[in-house]
Every structure is written in structure tokens, then in C-alpha cells.
Amino acid sequence: MSIAIENFVKAIYKNGKRDNNDTKPGNIAKELGISNAAATDMAKKLAIKDLINYEKYQELKLTVKGNKMALNVIRKHRLWEALLFKLFDMSLHDIHREAELLEHQTSDLLANKISEYLGNPKFDPHGDPIPNADGEITTTDTSISLSNSEEGKNYIISRLMSDDKEFFDFCAQHGLKYGNTVLVSKQFSKNKMTQILINNNTILLNEDFTSIIYVNEQD
Amino acid sequence: MSIAIENFVKAIYKNGKRDNNDTKPGNIAKELGISNAAATDMAKKLAIKDLINYEKYQELKLTVKGNKMALNVIRKHRLWEALLFKLFDMSLHDIHREAELLEHQTSDLLANKISEYLGNPKFDPHGDPIPNADGEITTTDTSISLSNSEEGKNYIISRLMSDDKEFFDFCAQHGLKYGNTVLVSKQFSKNKMTQILINNNTILLNEDFTSIIYVNEQD
DNA sequence: AAAAATATTTAAGCTTACTTAAATTTATTT
DNA sequence: AAATAAATTTAAGTAAGCTTAAATATTTTT
């Protein structure tokens, strides 16, 4: 299967997981940076290969086979991120970009070797779960986005769901990273801003950011 | 530049280095497993991109730019081999196969990080020299093939110039690896066989093997 | 040096993964 | 509920990287 196909099923998987839940061709096209027509075209092809179920004008739905392929690619992506993060001093954004390419050129054997070397980690450096060799995510995620957090509570950052450089630069600058503690000091419901305290610094986040920063309540 | 192009210039470079020195389309086609027609086609395209000089019916010659590209890919290949060899318990043949894919999806930045992590090694696990970031091979190779070795002398294995699984399985089985010592106990000039002593075992090699095992004289 | 064998090139055609433009369907607004 | 907007699909076309078959050039053999 080609790189284009792997990226396509991955995009369906990712968009399906997001709150909007939109897996129509247009949204996939946007994710991949291709035209809507190309996405429709590809959808038909993937249906023939039994990777998705395709009905005109409807959401694209991964078959069991397609889902497995998506998780296999995601596994490789996250294992590469974990390995590069451990070995090299590189920004998470750069690491993501490298993993985006390497994920398609990695045998199952090599993926397993990487996993074994790292002690079969369950999460990557973003806090995203790493599917196992059978394409299953065994960990349960109880985290919520900062948008849905409550004033006055302490949280531990569990995921930074983005591939965006600007966002990661901002995170690196302010200590927003996997495992760190934040206090939600104030929620401004009117303009959907959130004030947090992290590393003894108060910062203000808009919804673009709070919706992709996931946290768990601190006991 | 595409994977096909990177592999094409690499094939020209590699075939150019070999004793036959044949870089005509047919030989490149054979190396890459494509048709002669496809190789001629590609040669014309690469000439337009100033990667090779192409004249009908003549050898394909890399330009300075093409040579640089070939060495850049080879650098990445050999760095990956060195990294995988260090981190994972995998056969050299498997490692070679993974590197063959990864080499095309590796930024210069990542290549430099790998090199740095490994202490800027000058050789890969086959004993092949790793070009530096400027695409230069600074080490001089004084090794000779076992075919040209002399009876009764001790040698140190410096290179195993092959991508073949059978060959590597044989090498692994008999302790033929980079750095090990062999005594050339007898040369049979008639049928071009070579008898060597390694790890206290006597083995007999034909020319297919002795021509790709490179050694340095032991002082 | 001519004949035969081999290699290269040209020509025509295929698949993949896109594109833009136009037609059609669905969703939203008034 | 009709009009408008937006998204999806269809149609036609392109470039890359191949293929096979036929034509042409080069090399080897006799």
C-alpha cells in the first residue's frame, strides 16, 4: 500500500476521533492538502480495497481492515517520536515532521524493535497512546481538554494534540509539556479565554489552545 | 527530488565505483530492477535537472550536483545502518533493507543528529566509509579484496560489500565480520578458491565471496 | 568485414495521484 | 418552501515512473 493510501486512512482516523467528527471528503482533503476531487477519487479506490465504506455524500467510514492500517501507521509514527525524543535533542515539532515521513518506511519488525528498545512505552512524547503490535490501544484516556476544565483546580498535562510549530514553540517557552502541573486560575466564559498558572507564571490561553491541551485532574 | 531519482543517481555512483565501471542504462536498470527503456527515459530527465551528463549510447556520468546527491543519500543510508546496528539486535541484511527505505525520508538535520549521537563515525557496520555532511569521504581505503590476498598472510576484515541475505547469513555463521582476523591459508589459482582460517575454523570461499570481502594486511 | 548477438533508444500505453472546471447534490439562509 | 451557499461528484487532463514492442545502434563473433 502506498504512502498516499496510508496517509488517507490515517486522516480519516484522526478526523473521526476529533470532536467535529467530520470524515467527509472535503475535511480529509483539507487535512491532507489535496483537492476535494482527489479525496473523492481516493475514497472510491479505498472502498474497492475494502479499507473504507463509501456511500456518495456520506461520511467516509473505515472498515476493520482500514482501521487496522491506520493504527499500524500511527503506532509507527508514535514509536519514532518516542525514539527520536529519547535519543536526540530536537524540538517536538521537528520530531513530528521526521516521524511523519519515517512512519511509512518502517517494517513491522523494526517497529517492534523500537518498541522493545524503549521498554514498550504506552505513550509518545505528546502523551498520545501508542497502539500495540495488534493495532490496539489498551490504555483508557480519561483526560479532558483545558476548555472543559474547572476554575481553581490543579491538573496534569497529559496530551498536546497538535502538529503545529507555533503551538509547540509556545508550549516549550512556557513549560507546557507532558507531565507538568497547571492550575486553572480563571475561566472567562464570555470570550472563552482561560487563565492558568504554570511554573509560577500566569498565562492566558484562547480556545484554539485550550481545546488541544488535554489534562487529568490532580488527586 | 523523488525516491526514484535518488535511487537512480545512487545506482550510477555505485556501479561507477565497481571494477566493471559500467554505468550504461542497461546496467543501472539491472541494479534497480527496472526496464532498460525506463532507465534511458530517466537518464534524459536527470540530464535536464543537471544531475547527469547524458549522451546517446554512452556511459551515464554524474555531474558535481548529481555526485553530491548520491553521496548525501549514501551518507544517510550508512548512518541509519550504524544506528540500527548499535541499538537493535538485527541481522546486517535486515538492517540494510530498513536503511534502503529510511535513507530517502531523512532530513539533513536528522542525519546530523544521528551522526553526532554515534560520535561521527567514519565507517558503517559493513566497513563502508560514511560521507561527511558536505558529501565528502575523507578516509582513504587501502583495503584489497580477498581474491587479491596472499597465501600465508594475516588480514583484518574491513568491508563486506554486499546486500545479499545469503551472503550475510554465511558471514554471521562463520564469524566473518568487520574487524575480525583471517589467515589466508591457501589460494587455489586454478578454480579461484581461497582457503581461510577464521575463529579456528578452516573454510573455503569461491570467487563470488572473495571478491566482495575486503581486508587490510595485519602489521 | 560481414553476420549475429546484444544493448540502447523510441514509441505507445498504463497506473497512481493528483489538478481544474463544470455539474450535481446537500445544507443553510431568508 | 424557495433561494442561495457550500460541498461533493463527475469529467477531462497532467506528470511521474514505469511497461512492452519495435526500431536503431553498437559490440562481439566468426
Side-chain angles (χ1 to χ4, degrees), chain A residues 121-139:
Chain A
K122 295 224 183 297
F123 300 96
D124 75 8
H126 297 107
D128 292 327
I130 300 174
N132 67 21
D134 295 324
E136 287 154 0
I137 294 175
T138 54
T139 52

Side-chain angles (χ1 to χ4, degrees), chain A:
Chain A
M1 296 288 177
S2 69
I3 294 174
I5 291 177
E6 289 188 347
N7 280 330
F8 204 88
V9 295
K10 198 178 73 165
I12 295 174
Y13 181 90
K14 284 175 70 178
N15 286 13
K17 287 286 160 194
R18 278 207 274 270
D19 35 9
N20 54 9
N21 205 48
D22 181 356
T23 60
K24 285 187 181 163
N27 200 32
I28 307 301
K30 209 169 142 195
E31 170 92 18
L32 297 173
I34 61 177
S35 70
N36 288 7
T40 300
D41 238 48
M42 187 60 110
K44 288 181 188 170
K45 278 189 210 160
L46 296 205
I48 292 169
K49 289 183 195 289
D50 190 33
L51 291 168
I52 68 171
N53 291 127
Y54 172 64
E55 285 180 81
K56 273 191 185 181
Y57 304 107
Q58 304 303 306
E59 306 274 330
L60 306 182
K61 298 219 172 76
L62 290 173
T63 62
V64 171
K65 189 176 160 192
N67 202 258
K68 206 156 189 167
M69 176 184 278
L71 282 165
N72 188 255
V73 177
I74 288 170
R75 167 175 163 81
K76 287 166 184 173
H77 179 99
R78 292 180 181 168
L79 284 171
W80 274 118
E81 288 207 340
L83 184 70
L84 301 186
F85 185 74
K86 172 168 180 157
L87 297 181
F88 310 130
D89 179 31
M90 289 169 74
S91 75
L92 271 185
H93 184 257
D94 281 346
I95 283 175
H96 173 79
R97 277 196 349 213
E98 304 286 349
E100 203 69 10
L101 300 176
L102 297 172
E103 64 186 11
H104 304 293
Q105 309 292 172
T106 310
S107 70
D108 289 346
L109 171 70
L110 179 55
N112 292 342
K113 290 285 180 187
I114 296 173
S115 179
E116 186 191 341
Y117 174 81
L118 295 168
N120 299 310
K122 295 224 183 297
F123 300 96
D124 75 8
H126 297 107
D128 292 327
I130 300 174
N132 67 21
D134 295 324
E136 287 154 0
I137 294 175
T138 54
T139 52
T140 49
D141 184 8
T142 57
S143 62
I144 57 168
S145 79
L146 264 188
S147 322
N148 299 320
S149 65
E150 288 172 50
E151 234 176 67
K153 282 194 174 169
N154 278 306
Y155 294 93
I156 294 169
I157 296 171
S158 66
R159 304 173 76 175
L160 303 170
M161 291 185 63
S162 170
D163 312 335
D164 184 56
K165 177 162 168 44
E166 306 250 319
F167 175 68
F168 277 119
D169 285 350
F170 178 86
C171 289
Q173 199 186 328
H174 294 95
L176 283 161
K177 76 175 196 188
Y178 183 56
N180 279 11
T181 301
V182 290
L183 167 67
V184 174
S185 43
K186 197 142 184 56
Q187 290 279 19
F188 301 95
S189 57
K190 198 169 154 194
N191 51 13
K192 297 188 169 177
M193 301 289 273
T194 302
Q195 192 188 73
I196 64 170
L197 185 73
I198 182 159
N199 288 353
N200 290 319
N201 285 112
T202 298
I203 57 180
L204 204 56
L205 304 170
N206 68 10
E207 222 211 347
D208 286 351
F209 281 13
T210 56
S211 65
I212 56 178
I213 298 174
Y214 278 69
V215 295
N216 279 306
E217 258 187 71
Q218 192 165 47
D219 303 320

